[in-house]
Amino acid sequence: MWRVLTNDEQAVSDDDFTTWSWNVQPLESGQQKLFLDVAMRFKVPGSKDEVKFIPTLNRVVDVRVDRVFAAKHFVGQEWKWIFGTMGGIIVFLAGLTWKKKFKGTDLRS
């Protein structure tokens, strides 16, 4: 999952520098890869609407995702499933306890 923090299309000039920023969140823990592709886009001289893309940089960035972050992300996304399962286990254990407590007792009278 990612979110763009700057405009993804920006002009580049000789007078100043241009930056692009993204906030990238991993979906899994462990070793991951981030693929970075950069291309220039410019208008074709003599043409009104045509643009041309020229790849300028292709790089793979190795990323190690923190397990604590991944666990928090999982709990944040799957909290209903987790609490539902825990509730089911509690009801099951309570039923076993109740059954042992009243085993052999005639509850009809």
Side-chain angles (χ1 to χ4, degrees), residues 22-97:
W22 293 271
N23 182 9
V24 180
Q25 282 191 334
L27 300 176
E28 300 175 7
S29 65
Q31 194 71 25
Q32 303 294 325
K33 293 194 181 298
L34 179 66
F35 297 94
L36 175 65
D37 294 314
V38 178
M40 292 188 307
R41 175 184 169 197
F42 59 93
K43 289 190 175 190
V44 176
S47 173
K48 184 177 176 183
D49 297 326
E50 277 191 59
V51 293
K52 186 167 180 119
F53 290 91
I54 298 178
T56 57
L57 175 70
N58 296 81
R59 189 167 290 162
V60 177
V61 180
D62 289 321
V63 179
R64 180 104 186 124
V65 180
D66 182 30
R67 289 186 178 138
V68 173
F69 171 81
K72 287 180 183 177
H73 179 74
F74 175 77
V75 170
Q77 296 294 317
E78 306 294 339
W79 65 271
K80 290 179 184 176
W81 181 86
I82 292 169
F83 286 117
T85 302
M86 289 173 51
I89 292 171
I90 290 169
V91 168
F92 175 75
L93 293 175
L96 288 179
T97 303

Side-chain angles (χ1 to χ4, degrees), residues 93-107:
L93 293 175
L96 288 179
T97 303
W98 184 78
K99 185 177 178 182
K100 284 181 183 178
K101 184 176 181 180
F102 293 106
K103 188 176 183 180
T105 304
D106 187 7
L107 297 176

